[in-house]
Amino acid sequence: VPPAVAPRRTARGRFALRGCLASLRSGDMQGFGYQITLASYSSSFLAEHEARVPKWVDALARECTSEGVGAIIAETLATEEEEHPLHTERLASRIASAGAVEGGLIISGTEDAFSTLSSGADLARVAGWEHLPIEGAAHAVPLEKPRAWRDAVKGFLAKP
């Protein structure tokens, strides 16, 4: 399932999203960069990479516009309405009912602020797929825990 509307968020995730949207509305890409970084990565990852974060934020602010990023977020993350056509559970249900995919794997970080672990498990259940939580990762699992993510994907793909 592509990035889409999260089925459920924690209070932290809702506040993080509000902060990101407020920064975008005011055209503050630096503020948005720090907000999204704080919300997307675990505390341990941020501590390990703290010296690099300002460069990441500067690159984001230099290369992206608040209008462009805002449009993407408005279509993919800004609502939890189940009627939204891009709601993840709606997409998963459509994929499952169409028989378009025989199997899938939902990987969730245990420290994800944007989506709860139960959301990942529910999404996998709706689609008839597997769910694998990755301990200590937040929303950006492939960046935070690349070996665990790679091993999970390789293990899934190696199944008959």
Side-chain angles (χ1 to χ4, degrees):
V1 174
V5 177
R8 285 182 297 282
R9 287 190 184 89
T10 63
R12 182 176 171 226
R14 288 187 295 275
F15 285 124
L17 180 59
R18 289 178 192 151
C20 289
L21 292 173
S23 293
L24 290 172
R25 279 192 295 275
S26 68
D28 179 11
M29 288 304 291
Q30 290 276 333
F32 170 77
Y34 282 106
Q35 290 276 352
I36 198 76
T37 299
L38 184 61
S40 297
Y41 297 97
S42 66
S43 297
S44 60
F45 184 88
L46 290 173
E48 181 181 343
H49 298 283
E50 185 172 0
R52 296 178 178 168
V53 171
K55 292 177 187 173
W56 298 344
V57 170
D58 288 345
L60 177 116
R62 186 177 55 252
E63 301 297 329
C64 299
T65 66
S66 57
E67 295 82 12
V69 174
I72 293 167
I73 288 178
E75 283 301 315
T76 59
L77 296 173
T79 182
E80 294 182 36
E81 298 172 21
E82 291 185 18
E83 303 82 40
H84 194 287
L86 294 178
H87 191 280
T88 50
E89 288 184 9
R90 286 179 62 111
L91 290 173
S93 180
R94 285 182 17 217
I95 290 167
S97 65
V101 178
E102 289 182 25
L105 175 65
I106 303 293
I107 300 174
S108 303
T110 60
E111 295 184 30
D112 191 341
F114 281 125
S115 185
T116 64
L117 273 180
S118 63
S119 290
D122 289 346
L123 180 59
R125 180 188 47 73
V126 167
W129 297 350
E130 298 175 37
H131 178 241
L132 178 65
I134 301 291
E135 190 67 38
H139 197 69
V141 177
L143 299 174
E144 285 196 64
K145 301 287 186 180
R147 285 191 186 112
W149 181 84
R150 183 189 66 227
D151 291 347
V153 171
K154 285 172 66 176
F156 174 78
L157 293 174
K159 293 180 181 178

